[in-house]
Amino acid sequence: MLSIASEAGAIRPLSVTMASFPHNNRTFQILDAAAKGGFAVGAYNCYNDDGVLAVIRAAEAARSPAIIALFPWTMKFQGVHFIRFAVEAAHAASVPIAVHLDHCIEPADVEAALELPFDSIMVDASIQDEDENVKQCARFVQVANAKGITIEAEMGRIEGGEDGLPSVDLETVMTKPEAAKDFVDRTGVQFLAPAFGNIHGSYGPGGPEKCWNLPLLAKVHRAVGPVPLVLHGTHGVSDQLFHEARKNGCVKINLNKTVRNEYTRFIAESAGKLELTVLKEKGVEVYARSIERAMRDILDSAGKA
Ligand SMILES: [Zn+2]
């Protein structure tokens, strides 16, 4: 493939550099292709280099697009050099892989992230009241878009409280379809994470089946039209329910423990018994296998890159 080096030193396909925003943005391209192709793409939360390598290896093996999602924690604990490593490795892959910053709650973290080569950032002002959420998002959308970075925002965050029971009344934070349309229009965000009963952390008794309001998700999808929806709160969600979410507009699906549990188990059982080199090689292999399964069975993104 023809390519040129971008300012950040990463290699981007030539066709990409000639398109205009947001069509030249990697996360946008990946999600736009998914929406048009009838599949979804995983945003895999990575905490270390094993995670980054596992996503890249799984994506290349399955010929699937992917999104590496990092938290502000990574920016702070592992520093800017780790972010640059993740972006460089992702962009050098033989399939499209974007690097996204998930749940950026502190405005100072967004400011810091805007100086880094992220493809997209989730500005999470969902704990603020609606007006403040709109104001904060709109301001960051302007600055980020001017730098070629796309923005995801969330309306009404639901945290799993003690024993997985939501800490707020589910009904009060659910995204209203007309409010979603208004939010997208006023902020200009490229991707929207609605609250339709999806819970961060663990679901209580009855699981997501009991909490999710899929008809509401369908209405939000209709209200915001072509804006790709993002699914948060996926721990413990069945393959079938993932398919329901996809049918109702979710094209970016955040996956954390769903693809990380096997890896954690393997490391816990093998640490101290294997040489570190072998532990890492096998750990990444186990991790990548879980991701590949998601690409095939949950997302249908395998073979789409
Ligand atoms: Zn989330």
Side-chain angles (χ1 to χ4, degrees):
M1 186 191 291
L2 280 170
S3 63
I4 61 164
S6 75
E7 274 172 50
I11 304 297
R12 293 169 190 271
L14 188 60
S15 60
V16 171
T17 58
M18 289 164 70
S20 59
F21 191 83
H23 299 275
N24 58 357
N25 174 269
R26 222 168 241 266
T27 307
F28 183 88
Q29 286 175 343
I30 288 171
L31 297 178
D32 190 47
K36 288 173 179 153
F39 59 97
V41 176
Y44 308 94
N45 286 107
C46 298
Y47 297 84
N48 57 13
D49 59 326
D50 287 2
V52 171
L53 291 177
V55 173
I56 294 171
R57 291 194 182 167
E60 288 188 327
R63 306 309 301 165
S64 165
I67 297 168
I68 290 171
L70 304 173
F71 284 116
W73 171 82
T74 292
M75 231 166 41
K76 291 170 188 169
F77 181 69
Q78 292 167 101
V80 296
H81 299 299
F82 185 87
I83 308 287
R84 292 187 190 283
F85 148 73
V87 172
E88 208 171 300
H91 290 186
S94 61
V95 291
I97 304 179
V99 180
H100 173 85
L101 184 62
D102 201 13
H103 288 291
C104 217
I105 296 172
E106 299 294 331
D109 290 346
V110 184
E111 304 278 3
L114 288 169
E115 301 304 318
L116 291 167
F118 284 111
D119 296 298
S120 48
I121 298 170
M122 177 198 185
V123 175
D124 183 356
S126 62
I127 45 166
Q128 316 271 8
D129 65 49
E130 215 166 292
D131 266 350
E132 192 48 44
N133 192 356
V134 168
K135 251 189 241 160
Q136 208 165 305
C137 287
R139 182 163 69 84
F140 283 129
V141 165
Q142 261 195 350
V143 184
N145 286 183
K147 288 173 176 272
I149 299 169
T150 44
I151 296 287
E152 170 187 334
E154 182 167 27
M155 292 183 73
R157 172 140 181 220
I158 306 174
E159 277 295 344
E162 236 171 304
D163 303 322
L165 295 173
S167 47
V168 289
D169 176 13
L170 277 181
E171 288 303 322
T172 60
V173 288
M174 294 248 197
T175 304
K176 289 168 190 67
E178 57 286 3
K181 168 89 178 92
D182 187 54
F183 183 84
V184 166
D185 289 345
R186 287 168 67 199
T187 57
V189 292
Q190 278 76 38
F191 321 113
L192 181 72
F196 61 98
N198 47 330
I199 296 173
H200 283 90
S202 44
Y203 287 88
E209 282 80 2
K210 193 180 158 209
C211 302
W212 283 20
N213 183 341
L214 286 165
L216 176 66
L217 178 62
K219 281 182 199 153
V220 172
H221 177 39
R222 273 199 298 277
V224 300
V227 176
L229 297 183
V230 181
L231 178 63
H232 287 246
T234 57
H235 185 48
V237 171
S238 68
D239 287 8
Q240 204 225 320
L241 212 50
F242 274 120
H243 284 98
E244 291 297 324
R246 285 177 44 201
K247 267 190 233 160
N248 291 298
C250 292
V251 292
K252 175 174 175 277
I253 300 204
N254 291 4
L255 295 169
N256 193 340
K257 282 185 182 165
T258 308
V259 295
R260 197 161 49 82
N261 277 348
E262 290 288 327
Y263 163 79
T264 306
R265 201 170 305 132
F266 172 81
I267 296 293
E269 283 166 3
S270 314
K273 295 179 193 153
L274 297 172
E275 287 293 335
L276 191 53
T277 47
V278 179
L279 183 75
K280 274 188 84 70
E281 283 171 16
K282 291 210 179 300
V284 168
E285 210 177 290
V286 168
Y287 204 154
R289 213 178 300 140
S290 297
I291 295 171
E292 273 190 70
R293 188 202 84 79
M295 288 169 168
R296 275 193 321 268
D297 301 344
I298 295 174
L299 310 158
D300 278 328
S301 65
K304 302 286 174 25

